[in-house]
Amino acid sequence: MKLGKVEFCHFLQILALFLCLSGMNQAELTRSRSKPYFQSGRTRTKRSWVWNQFFVLEEYMGTDPLYVGKLHSDVDKGDGSIKYILSGEGASSIFIIDENTGDIHATKRLDREEQAYYTLRAQALDRLTNKPVEPESEFVIKIQDINDNEPKFLDGPYTAGVPEMSPVGTSVVQVTATDADDPTYGNSARVVYSILQGQPYFSVEPKTGVIKTALPNMDREAKDQYLLVIQAKDMVGQNGGLSGTTSVTVTLTDVNDNPPRFPRRSYQYNVPESLPVASVVARIKAADADVGPNAEMEYKIVDGDGLGVFKISVDKDTQEGIITIQKELDFEAKTSYTLRIEAANMHVDPRFLSLGPFSDMTTVKIIVEDVDEPPVFTSRLYSMVVSEAAKVGTIIGTVAAHDPDASNSPVRYSIDRNTDLERYFNIDANSGVITTAKSLDRETNAVHNITVLAMESR
Protein backbone atom coordinates (compact mmCIF):
# COMPACT_ATOMS: atom_id res chain seq x y z
CA MET A 1 0.00 0.00 0.00
CA LYS A 2 1.39 3.48 -0.86
CA LEU A 3 0.75 6.92 0.59
CA GLY A 4 -0.17 8.95 -2.47
CA LYS A 5 2.63 10.22 -4.64
CA VAL A 6 6.22 9.69 -3.62
CA GLU A 7 6.95 13.40 -3.51
CA PHE A 8 4.02 14.07 -1.21
CA CYS A 9 5.11 11.27 1.07
CA HIS A 10 8.62 12.73 1.34
CA PHE A 11 7.16 16.15 2.07
CA LEU A 12 5.02 14.78 4.89
CA GLN A 13 7.97 12.93 6.39
CA ILE A 14 10.12 16.08 6.40
CA LEU A 15 7.25 18.12 7.83
CA ALA A 16 6.64 15.52 10.57
CA LEU A 17 10.32 15.53 11.56
CA PHE A 18 10.31 19.31 11.78
CA LEU A 19 7.18 19.38 13.93
CA CYS A 20 8.56 16.71 16.26
CA LEU A 21 11.76 18.65 16.81
CA SER A 22 10.01 21.97 17.24
CA GLY A 23 7.49 20.62 19.76
CA MET A 24 4.49 21.97 17.77
CA ASN A 25 1.18 20.26 18.31
CA GLN A 26 0.75 18.74 14.84
CA ALA A 27 0.16 15.23 13.52
CA GLU A 28 3.26 13.39 12.37
CA LEU A 29 3.98 10.32 10.27
CA THR A 30 6.61 7.76 11.11
CA ARG A 31 9.05 6.51 8.58
CA SER A 32 7.47 4.62 5.74
CA ARG A 33 7.89 0.91 5.37
CA SER A 34 7.22 1.02 1.65
CA LYS A 35 6.61 -2.22 -0.22
CA PRO A 36 7.52 -4.70 2.50
CA TYR A 37 7.94 -8.34 1.59
CA PHE A 38 7.32 -11.46 3.62
CA GLN A 39 8.48 -14.94 2.95
CA SER A 40 6.20 -17.97 3.20
CA GLY A 41 7.82 -21.36 2.68
CA ARG A 42 10.31 -21.24 -0.20
CA THR A 43 8.48 -18.63 -2.23
CA ARG A 44 8.93 -14.89 -1.74
CA THR A 45 5.74 -13.04 -2.49
CA LYS A 46 5.42 -9.30 -2.98
CA ARG A 47 2.66 -7.63 -0.91
CA SER A 48 0.74 -4.78 -2.43
CA TRP A 49 -0.25 -3.16 0.91
CA VAL A 50 1.93 -0.34 2.26
CA TRP A 51 1.03 0.58 5.86
CA ASN A 52 2.19 3.39 8.08
CA GLN A 53 1.84 4.43 11.65
CA PHE A 54 -0.24 7.57 11.65
CA PHE A 55 -0.20 10.41 14.17
CA VAL A 56 -3.27 12.45 15.08
CA LEU A 57 -3.20 15.60 17.13
CA GLU A 58 -5.23 15.32 20.35
CA GLU A 59 -7.83 17.86 21.42
CA TYR A 60 -8.55 18.92 17.83
CA MET A 61 -11.38 21.48 18.08
CA GLY A 62 -12.12 22.05 14.37
CA THR A 63 -15.58 21.68 12.89
CA ASP A 64 -14.53 19.40 10.02
CA PRO A 65 -13.31 15.81 10.50
CA LEU A 66 -9.57 15.70 11.06
CA TYR A 67 -7.57 14.15 8.24
CA VAL A 68 -5.48 11.23 9.48
CA GLY A 69 -3.92 9.69 6.40
CA LYS A 70 -4.50 7.77 3.20
CA LEU A 71 -4.51 4.07 2.41
CA HIS A 72 -3.99 2.93 -1.15
CA SER A 73 -3.51 -0.43 -2.80
CA ASP A 74 -1.44 -1.04 -5.91
CA VAL A 75 -4.37 -3.06 -7.16
CA ASP A 76 -6.47 0.11 -7.20
CA LYS A 77 -6.28 1.56 -10.76
CA GLY A 78 -8.53 4.47 -9.91
CA ASP A 79 -11.50 3.12 -11.83
CA GLY A 80 -13.72 2.71 -8.76
CA SER A 81 -13.51 -1.06 -8.77
CA ILE A 82 -11.86 -1.15 -5.32
CA LYS A 83 -13.43 -0.12 -2.05
CA TYR A 84 -11.71 0.28 1.32
CA ILE A 85 -13.10 -0.72 4.70
CA LEU A 86 -11.87 -0.25 8.28
CA SER A 87 -12.28 -2.45 11.34
CA GLY A 88 -10.79 -2.49 14.82
CA GLU A 89 -10.64 0.05 17.65
CA GLY A 90 -12.72 3.12 16.96
CA ALA A 91 -13.64 2.10 13.42
CA SER A 92 -16.83 3.88 12.32
CA SER A 93 -17.36 5.44 15.78
CA ILE A 94 -14.18 7.54 15.74
CA PHE A 95 -12.38 6.86 12.49
CA ILE A 96 -14.03 6.71 9.10
CA ILE A 97 -12.56 5.85 5.71
CA ASP A 98 -13.63 7.02 2.32
CA GLU A 99 -14.27 3.69 0.64
CA ASN A 100 -13.37 5.12 -2.74
CA THR A 101 -10.19 7.09 -1.98
CA GLY A 102 -8.89 5.38 1.19
CA ASP A 103 -8.76 8.73 3.06
CA ILE A 104 -9.07 8.28 6.84
CA HIS A 105 -10.59 10.99 9.08
CA ALA A 106 -11.21 11.31 12.81
CA THR A 107 -14.71 12.47 13.61
CA LYS A 108 -14.32 13.05 17.34
CA ARG A 109 -12.00 15.00 19.60
CA LEU A 110 -9.32 12.64 20.89
CA ASP A 111 -7.58 12.67 24.25
CA ARG A 112 -4.20 10.96 24.49
CA GLU A 113 -4.56 10.68 28.27
CA GLU A 114 -7.70 8.56 27.76
CA GLN A 115 -6.25 6.37 25.00
CA ALA A 116 -2.80 6.78 23.50
CA TYR A 117 -3.22 4.72 20.32
CA TYR A 118 -5.73 2.74 18.30
CA THR A 119 -5.07 -0.47 16.39
CA LEU A 120 -7.09 -0.84 13.20
CA ARG A 121 -7.24 -3.15 10.22
CA ALA A 122 -7.71 -2.09 6.58
CA GLN A 123 -8.95 -4.18 3.69
CA ALA A 124 -9.34 -3.59 -0.02
CA LEU A 125 -12.35 -5.36 -1.58
CA ASP A 126 -13.50 -5.88 -5.12
CA ARG A 127 -16.58 -3.71 -5.34
CA LEU A 128 -18.48 -6.17 -7.53
CA THR A 129 -17.68 -9.42 -5.76
CA ASN A 130 -17.05 -7.92 -2.31
CA LYS A 131 -14.06 -10.23 -2.03
CA PRO A 132 -10.62 -9.17 -0.76
CA VAL A 133 -8.18 -8.36 -3.50
CA GLU A 134 -5.28 -8.80 -1.07
CA PRO A 135 -4.78 -9.78 2.60
CA GLU A 136 -6.02 -7.59 5.43
CA SER A 137 -3.40 -5.18 6.86
CA GLU A 138 -3.09 -3.85 10.43
CA PHE A 139 -1.86 -0.38 11.33
CA VAL A 140 -1.74 1.95 14.35
CA ILE A 141 -3.00 5.48 14.82
CA LYS A 142 -1.11 7.18 17.63
CA ILE A 143 -2.57 10.21 19.37
CA GLN A 144 0.03 12.93 19.46
CA ASP A 145 0.29 14.79 22.75
CA ILE A 146 -0.22 18.48 23.29
CA ASN A 147 0.47 20.26 26.54
CA ASP A 148 -3.06 20.18 27.91
CA ASN A 149 -2.44 18.87 31.43
CA GLU A 150 -1.01 20.91 34.27
CA PRO A 151 1.22 19.21 36.84
CA LYS A 152 -0.67 17.95 39.90
CA PHE A 153 0.50 17.19 43.42
CA LEU A 154 -1.48 14.04 44.10
CA ASP A 155 -0.21 13.73 47.69
CA GLY A 156 -0.66 17.37 48.68
CA PRO A 157 -1.12 19.33 50.78
CA TYR A 158 1.95 18.23 52.72
CA THR A 159 2.95 18.46 56.37
CA ALA A 160 6.50 18.00 57.57
CA GLY A 161 8.77 18.69 60.50
CA VAL A 162 12.41 19.62 60.87
CA PRO A 163 14.41 20.23 64.06
CA GLU A 164 14.92 23.87 64.96
CA MET A 165 18.47 25.21 64.65
CA SER A 166 19.14 22.79 61.75
CA PRO A 167 22.05 23.60 59.43
CA VAL A 168 21.37 25.18 56.05
CA GLY A 169 20.58 22.50 53.48
CA THR A 170 18.85 20.09 55.86
CA SER A 171 16.24 18.08 53.93
CA VAL A 172 12.69 18.61 55.09
CA VAL A 173 10.41 16.72 52.68
CA GLN A 174 10.15 15.86 48.99
CA VAL A 175 7.11 16.92 46.99
CA THR A 176 6.22 15.26 43.71
CA ALA A 177 4.01 16.50 40.90
CA THR A 178 2.77 14.31 38.08
CA ASP A 179 1.89 15.46 34.58
CA ALA A 180 -0.47 13.35 32.50
CA ASP A 181 1.08 14.50 29.23
CA ASP A 182 3.39 12.27 27.19
CA PRO A 183 6.82 12.14 28.87
CA THR A 184 8.42 10.79 25.69
CA TYR A 185 7.39 13.67 23.49
CA GLY A 186 8.66 17.21 23.87
CA ASN A 187 8.73 18.96 27.24
CA SER A 188 5.03 18.76 28.06
CA ALA A 189 5.64 16.48 31.05
CA ARG A 190 9.05 17.78 32.10
CA VAL A 191 8.44 19.51 35.42
CA VAL A 192 10.57 21.93 37.42
CA TYR A 193 9.83 23.08 40.97
CA SER A 194 10.03 26.54 42.49
CA ILE A 195 9.02 28.10 45.79
CA LEU A 196 6.41 30.85 45.70
CA GLN A 197 6.05 31.34 49.45
CA GLY A 198 8.39 30.42 52.26
CA GLN A 199 11.57 32.25 51.36
CA PRO A 200 14.11 33.03 52.67
CA TYR A 201 13.61 30.26 55.21
CA PHE A 202 13.31 27.34 52.78
CA SER A 203 14.29 26.41 49.23
CA VAL A 204 13.31 23.66 46.81
CA GLU A 205 15.47 21.66 44.42
CA PRO A 206 14.14 22.48 40.91
CA LYS A 207 14.54 18.96 39.53
CA THR A 208 13.79 16.75 42.54
CA GLY A 209 11.26 18.72 44.56
CA VAL A 210 13.28 18.26 47.75
CA ILE A 211 12.60 21.08 50.20
CA LYS A 212 15.56 22.17 52.33
CA THR A 213 16.28 24.71 55.03
CA ALA A 214 17.78 27.93 53.67
CA LEU A 215 18.51 29.88 56.86
CA PRO A 216 20.58 28.85 59.89
CA ASN A 217 19.46 29.06 63.51
CA MET A 218 15.72 29.02 62.93
CA ASP A 219 14.32 29.17 66.45
CA ARG A 220 11.12 27.33 67.33
CA GLU A 221 10.58 29.58 70.31
CA ALA A 222 10.50 32.60 67.95
CA LYS A 223 8.35 30.98 65.25
CA ASP A 224 7.39 27.34 65.16
CA GLN A 225 5.45 26.94 61.91
CA TYR A 226 5.84 28.02 58.28
CA LEU A 227 3.44 27.76 55.35
CA LEU A 228 5.18 27.13 52.02
CA VAL A 229 3.68 27.26 48.54
CA ILE A 230 5.49 25.12 45.98
CA GLN A 231 4.90 25.39 42.22
CA ALA A 232 5.49 22.71 39.62
CA LYS A 233 5.65 23.96 36.03
CA ASP A 234 5.92 21.87 32.88
CA MET A 235 7.75 22.74 29.65
CA VAL A 236 10.88 22.81 31.87
CA GLY A 237 9.57 26.01 33.44
CA GLN A 238 9.51 27.94 30.16
CA ASN A 239 6.96 30.62 29.34
CA GLY A 240 3.70 29.11 28.25
CA GLY A 241 4.09 26.06 30.46
CA LEU A 242 1.23 24.95 32.68
CA SER A 243 1.66 24.94 36.44
CA GLY A 244 0.14 23.59 39.62
CA THR A 245 0.79 24.42 43.26
CA THR A 246 0.62 22.75 46.63
CA SER A 247 1.05 23.89 50.20
CA VAL A 248 3.57 22.51 52.66
CA THR A 249 3.19 23.17 56.38
CA VAL A 250 6.58 22.88 58.04
CA THR A 251 6.75 22.68 61.83
CA LEU A 252 9.99 23.27 63.67
CA THR A 253 10.41 20.52 66.23
CA ASP A 254 11.98 21.28 69.57
CA VAL A 255 15.59 20.75 70.60
CA ASN A 256 17.04 21.53 74.02
CA ASP A 257 18.54 24.92 73.27
CA ASN A 258 17.07 26.86 76.21
CA PRO A 259 18.48 26.49 79.75
CA PRO A 260 16.09 26.59 82.72
CA ARG A 261 16.00 29.91 84.55
CA PHE A 262 14.29 30.89 87.81
CA PRO A 263 12.23 34.06 87.36
CA ARG A 264 13.49 35.31 90.74
CA ARG A 265 16.74 35.05 92.61
CA SER A 266 14.98 34.47 95.94
CA TYR A 267 11.62 33.42 97.33
CA GLN A 268 10.05 33.66 100.79
CA TYR A 269 7.20 31.58 102.22
CA ASN A 270 5.48 31.67 105.62
CA VAL A 271 4.28 28.39 107.14
CA PRO A 272 2.59 27.70 110.48
CA GLU A 273 4.55 25.58 112.91
CA SER A 274 1.55 23.26 113.19
CA LEU A 275 1.76 22.16 109.55
CA PRO A 276 1.83 18.33 109.48
CA VAL A 277 4.80 16.35 108.18
CA ALA A 278 4.64 15.68 104.39
CA SER A 279 2.61 18.85 103.83
CA VAL A 280 3.49 21.06 100.85
CA VAL A 281 5.27 24.23 101.88
CA ALA A 282 5.74 25.82 98.44
CA ARG A 283 5.92 25.24 94.68
CA ILE A 284 8.63 26.87 92.62
CA LYS A 285 9.35 26.58 88.93
CA ALA A 286 12.27 27.38 86.68
CA ALA A 287 11.10 28.67 83.30
CA ASP A 288 12.17 26.71 80.22
CA ALA A 289 11.05 27.75 76.73
CA ASP A 290 11.54 24.22 75.42
CA VAL A 291 8.80 21.59 75.48
CA GLY A 292 8.39 17.90 76.19
CA PRO A 293 11.48 15.97 77.31
CA ASN A 294 13.66 19.00 76.56
CA ALA A 295 11.91 20.90 79.37
CA GLU A 296 12.02 18.10 81.94
CA MET A 297 13.86 19.11 85.13
CA GLU A 298 15.09 17.85 88.42
CA TYR A 299 15.34 19.92 91.60
CA LYS A 300 17.55 19.44 94.61
CA ILE A 301 18.46 21.29 97.80
CA VAL A 302 22.20 21.85 97.56
CA ASP A 303 22.77 23.98 100.66
CA GLY A 304 21.12 25.69 103.63
CA ASP A 305 20.10 24.99 107.20
CA GLY A 306 16.93 23.11 106.26
CA LEU A 307 18.49 20.10 104.55
CA GLY A 308 17.05 17.60 107.01
CA VAL A 309 13.79 19.42 107.64
CA PHE A 310 12.59 19.92 104.05
CA LYS A 311 12.85 18.02 100.78
CA ILE A 312 12.07 18.93 97.17
CA SER A 313 10.63 16.76 94.40
CA VAL A 314 9.40 17.42 90.86
CA ASP A 315 5.81 17.41 89.61
CA LYS A 316 6.10 15.43 86.35
CA ASP A 317 3.10 17.16 84.83
CA THR A 318 3.97 20.78 85.57
CA GLN A 319 7.76 20.50 86.07
CA GLU A 320 7.41 22.42 89.33
CA GLY A 321 9.63 21.85 92.34
CA ILE A 322 7.50 20.83 95.34
CA ILE A 323 8.96 21.65 98.78
CA THR A 324 7.54 19.49 101.59
CA ILE A 325 8.14 19.12 105.34
CA GLN A 326 10.12 16.12 106.58
CA LYS A 327 10.15 16.97 110.32
CA GLU A 328 7.80 18.82 112.64
CA LEU A 329 8.32 22.55 112.88
CA ASP A 330 8.66 24.37 116.19
CA PHE A 331 8.55 28.12 116.25
CA GLU A 332 10.00 28.18 119.75
CA ALA A 333 13.01 26.14 118.59
CA LYS A 334 13.68 27.77 115.15
CA THR A 335 11.84 30.58 113.45
CA SER A 336 13.23 30.38 109.88
CA TYR A 337 15.14 28.22 107.39
CA THR A 338 17.13 29.03 104.27
CA LEU A 339 17.36 26.62 101.33
CA ARG A 340 19.62 26.86 98.29
CA ILE A 341 17.82 25.09 95.42
CA GLU A 342 19.10 24.04 91.99
CA ALA A 343 17.01 23.26 88.89
CA ALA A 344 18.68 21.37 86.04
CA ASN A 345 17.56 19.93 82.68
CA MET A 346 17.47 16.15 82.65
CA HIS A 347 18.27 15.79 78.92
CA VAL A 348 21.07 18.07 77.78
CA ASP A 349 22.00 18.23 74.08
CA PRO A 350 25.81 18.41 73.71
CA ARG A 351 25.42 20.51 70.54
CA PHE A 352 24.10 23.43 72.57
CA LEU A 353 26.32 23.34 75.63
CA SER A 354 27.67 26.73 74.65
CA LEU A 355 24.23 28.18 75.41
CA GLY A 356 24.33 26.85 79.00
CA PRO A 357 24.80 26.13 81.76
CA PHE A 358 21.60 24.10 81.66
CA SER A 359 20.89 24.66 85.36
CA ASP A 360 20.05 27.56 87.65
CA MET A 361 20.02 28.38 91.38
CA THR A 362 17.64 30.24 93.66
CA THR A 363 17.27 30.86 97.41
CA VAL A 364 14.12 29.95 99.34
CA LYS A 365 13.56 31.37 102.81
CA ILE A 366 10.90 29.69 104.95
CA ILE A 367 9.49 31.66 107.89
CA VAL A 368 7.93 29.54 110.66
CA GLU A 369 4.87 31.22 112.14
CA ASP A 370 3.94 30.81 115.78
CA VAL A 371 0.71 28.93 116.51
CA ASP A 372 -1.17 29.33 119.82
CA GLU A 373 -0.48 25.87 121.21
CA PRO A 374 -2.40 24.34 124.10
CA PRO A 375 -0.75 23.85 127.51
CA VAL A 376 1.45 20.82 127.89
CA PHE A 377 1.42 18.66 131.02
CA THR A 378 4.70 17.60 132.54
CA SER A 379 3.46 14.02 132.27
CA ARG A 380 0.77 12.43 130.22
CA LEU A 381 -0.14 10.08 133.09
CA TYR A 382 -0.13 10.74 136.83
CA SER A 383 -0.50 7.98 139.44
CA MET A 384 -1.65 8.96 142.95
CA VAL A 385 -2.48 6.90 146.11
CA VAL A 386 -4.93 7.85 148.88
CA SER A 387 -6.31 6.02 151.91
CA GLU A 388 -10.01 5.21 151.93
CA ALA A 389 -10.02 6.69 155.42
CA ALA A 390 -8.84 10.09 154.16
CA LYS A 391 -10.99 12.98 155.20
CA VAL A 392 -12.73 15.24 152.72
CA GLY A 393 -10.29 17.87 151.50
CA THR A 394 -7.23 15.65 151.78
CA ILE A 395 -4.57 16.56 149.20
CA ILE A 396 -3.93 13.59 146.91
CA GLY A 397 -1.38 15.13 144.54
CA THR A 398 -0.60 17.89 142.06
CA VAL A 399 -0.59 18.08 138.24
CA ALA A 400 1.39 20.70 136.32
CA ALA A 401 1.15 22.12 132.80
CA HIS A 402 2.71 25.08 131.02
CA ASP A 403 2.06 27.18 127.92
CA PRO A 404 4.72 26.23 125.31
CA ASP A 405 4.22 29.47 123.41
CA ALA A 406 6.57 32.37 123.83
CA SER A 407 3.86 34.26 125.72
CA ASN A 408 3.88 31.56 128.44
CA SER A 409 0.34 32.40 129.52
CA PRO A 410 -0.97 31.27 132.98
CA VAL A 411 -2.76 27.92 133.02
CA ARG A 412 -6.08 27.04 134.66
CA TYR A 413 -7.04 23.47 135.59
CA SER A 414 -10.34 21.63 135.73
CA ILE A 415 -11.61 18.06 136.04
CA ASP A 416 -13.54 16.53 133.18
CA ARG A 417 -16.68 15.62 135.10
CA ASN A 418 -17.57 12.96 132.57
CA THR A 419 -14.75 10.98 134.18
CA ASP A 420 -15.82 11.84 137.77
CA LEU A 421 -19.59 11.73 137.74
CA GLU A 422 -19.91 11.23 141.53
CA ARG A 423 -17.58 14.24 142.10
CA TYR A 424 -15.22 12.43 144.44
CA PHE A 425 -12.41 14.89 143.68
CA ASN A 426 -11.74 18.61 143.32
CA ILE A 427 -8.80 20.49 141.72
CA ASP A 428 -7.49 23.94 142.47
CA ALA A 429 -7.87 25.90 139.20
CA ASN A 430 -4.64 27.82 139.72
CA SER A 431 -2.26 25.38 141.42
CA GLY A 432 -3.39 22.04 140.02
CA VAL A 433 -3.68 20.51 143.52
CA ILE A 434 -6.17 17.60 143.62
CA THR A 435 -8.13 16.95 146.86
CA THR A 436 -10.89 14.56 147.99
CA ALA A 437 -14.44 15.90 147.84
CA LYS A 438 -16.22 12.86 149.27
CA SER A 439 -15.46 9.89 151.50
CA LEU A 440 -13.88 7.03 149.57
CA ASP A 441 -14.65 3.30 149.83
CA ARG A 442 -12.03 0.93 148.42
CA GLU A 443 -14.46 -2.00 148.46
CA THR A 444 -16.88 -0.07 146.28
CA ASN A 445 -14.32 1.45 143.89
CA ALA A 446 -10.64 0.74 144.32
CA VAL A 447 -9.41 2.79 141.32
CA HIS A 448 -10.57 6.15 139.99
CA ASN A 449 -9.47 7.34 136.52
CA ILE A 450 -10.05 11.02 136.07
CA THR A 451 -9.07 13.42 133.30
CA VAL A 452 -7.66 16.83 134.13
CA LEU A 453 -7.95 19.68 131.63
CA ALA A 454 -5.47 22.57 131.37
CA MET A 455 -6.39 25.79 129.54
CA GLU A 456 -4.59 29.03 128.99
CA SER A 457 -5.82 31.82 131.19
CA ARG A 458 -6.70 34.83 129.02
Side-chain angles (χ1 to χ4, degrees):
M1 178 179 281
K2 295 184 293 185
L3 291 172
K5 295 181 180 180
V6 175
E7 293 81 7
F8 184 65
C9 179
H10 288 168
F11 169 75
L12 288 180
Q13 288 177 325
I14 294 171
L15 176 62
L17 178 60
F18 171 78
L19 294 178
C20 179
L21 293 176
S22 64
M24 293 176 62
N25 297 323
Q26 302 290 337
E28 70 178 274
L29 297 172
T30 59
R31 61 185 178 86
S32 173
R33 293 173 55 189
S34 180
K35 297 182 180 179
Y37 290 81
F38 68 91
Q39 187 170 348
S40 175
R42 294 186 177 181
T43 61
R44 191 179 187 193
T45 306
K46 176 180 178 181
R47 284 187 57 189
S48 298
W49 282 104
V50 177
W51 67 272
N52 279 267
Q53 184 179 48
F54 296 105
F55 288 80
V56 179
L57 198 66
E58 70 168 332
E59 306 294 351
Y60 172 70
M61 304 298 290
T63 56
D64 297 329
L66 178 64
Y67 180 74
V68 177
K70 185 180 184 68
L71 297 176
H72 187 74
S73 172
D74 289 344
V75 177
D76 189 354
K77 303 302 182 184
D79 55 4
S81 62
I82 302 298
K83 71 174 181 178
Y84 300 93
I85 61 173
L86 276 182
S87 61
E89 293 181 297
S92 300
S93 61
I94 299 176
F95 302 103
I96 58 173
I97 189 169
D98 187 314
E99 66 176 20
N100 296 313
T101 64
D103 290 334
I104 301 173
H105 289 81
T107 60
K108 294 182 179 180
R109 182 177 64 85
L110 300 172
D111 187 351
R112 188 200 67 85
E113 287 70 46
E114 291 182 4
Q115 185 164 343
Y117 64 90
Y118 295 82
T119 302
L120 296 102
R121 294 176 298 279
Q123 198 165 34
L125 303 177
D126 185 292
R127 189 177 294 276
L128 295 178
T129 64
N130 212 37
K131 292 182 178 181
V133 297
E134 56 184 67
E136 186 179 65
S137 181
E138 186 177 89
F139 65 97
V140 173
I141 297 178
K142 287 192 68 175
I143 311 305
Q144 181 176 316
D145 186 47
I146 65 171
N147 189 19
D148 60 339
N149 289 279
E150 74 277 5
K152 294 181 179 180
F153 293 91
L154 302 181
D155 296 327
Y158 296 81
T159 58
V162 64
E164 63 174 329
M165 312 300 284
S166 292
V168 172
T170 300
S171 294
V172 179
V173 67
Q174 183 175 25
V175 297
T176 302
T178 58
D179 193 311
D181 291 320
D182 188 353
T184 65
Y185 176 77
N187 295 322
S188 297
R190 293 183 62 186
V191 172
V192 295
Y193 300 91
S194 60
I195 184 166
L196 302 182
Q197 178 180 312
Q199 294 173 316
Y201 307 101
F202 298 92
S203 63
V204 64
E205 288 284 345
K207 293 183 179 180
T208 64
V210 174
I211 297 172
K212 297 181 177 182
T213 57
L215 277 183
N217 303 323
M218 284 193 288
D219 190 359
R220 185 196 68 85
E221 288 72 38
K223 184 176 182 180
D224 65 346
Q225 198 169 81
Y226 297 82
L227 180 62
L228 283 59
V229 177
I230 304 298
Q231 175 183 267
K233 189 173 184 180
D234 60 20
M235 298 299 291
V236 204
Q238 297 174 2
N239 291 335
L242 303 178
S243 64
T245 61
T246 189
S247 64
V248 183
T249 302
V250 179
T251 302
L252 297 185
T253 56
D254 189 50
V255 299
N256 192 4
D257 60 337
N258 291 279
R261 292 291 180 262
F262 284 106
R264 294 162 57 182
R265 292 295 88 193
S266 64
Y267 299 82
Q268 180 173 307
Y269 300 94
N270 290 21
V271 296
E273 62 175 333
S274 59
L275 203 63
V277 171
S279 297
V280 175
V281 174
R283 287 174 173 262
I284 60 174
K285 185 177 182 180
D288 192 324
D290 296 319
V291 294
N294 296 319
E296 290 181 359
M297 298 185 214
E298 58 181 354
Y299 296 86
K300 59 183 177 180
I301 301 173
V302 296
D303 198 6
D305 55 6
L307 283 170
V309 181
F310 302 94
K311 71 173 183 178
I312 189 167
S313 58
V314 64
D315 185 322
K316 298 295 185 182
D317 295 327
T318 65
Q319 297 302 314
E320 292 175 299
I322 306 172
I323 302 173
T324 55
I325 300 173
Q326 282 188 295
K327 292 182 179 180
E328 289 184 353
L329 302 177
D330 187 355
F331 172 82
E332 287 69 34
K334 190 170 179 61
T335 60
S336 68
Y337 296 87
T338 301
L339 307 175
R340 190 74 174 148
I341 294 177
E342 178 187 67
N345 276 149
M346 295 182 65
H347 311 288
V348 178
D349 192 328
R351 294 175 298 172
F352 305 107
L353 287 176
S354 61
L355 302 176
F358 283 79
S359 63
D360 197 22
M361 302 281 287
T362 192
T363 299
V364 176
K365 188 172 185 179
I366 298 174
I367 305 297
V368 180
E369 295 179 333
D370 187 26
V371 174
D372 189 12
E373 299 175 83
V376 177
F377 284 95
T378 56
S379 176
R380 295 185 62 83
L381 179 66
Y382 292 85
S383 180
M384 300 176 184
V385 178
V386 62
S387 170
E388 66 176 335
K391 294 180 179 180
V392 173
T394 300
I395 295 175
I396 299 173
T398 303
V399 295
H402 72 281
D403 180 8
D405 294 323
S407 60
N408 195 22
S409 300
V411 175
R412 293 181 62 82
Y413 302 96
S414 63
I415 293 175
D416 183 353
R417 291 304 176 182
N418 290 321
T419 62
D420 184 27
L421 295 175
E422 299 295 327
R423 294 182 176 267
Y424 284 106
F425 306 97
N426 285 327
I427 189 169
D428 186 283
N430 296 314
S431 65
V433 173
I434 299 173
T435 59
T436 58
K438 284 185 177 181
S439 297
L440 303 175
D441 184 359
R442 189 190 67 82
E443 287 71 32
T444 302
N445 194 353
V447 177
H448 295 264
N449 290 313
I450 63 174
T451 299
V452 176
L453 304 177
M455 299 179 62
E456 291 181 21
S457 182
R458 299 292 181 180

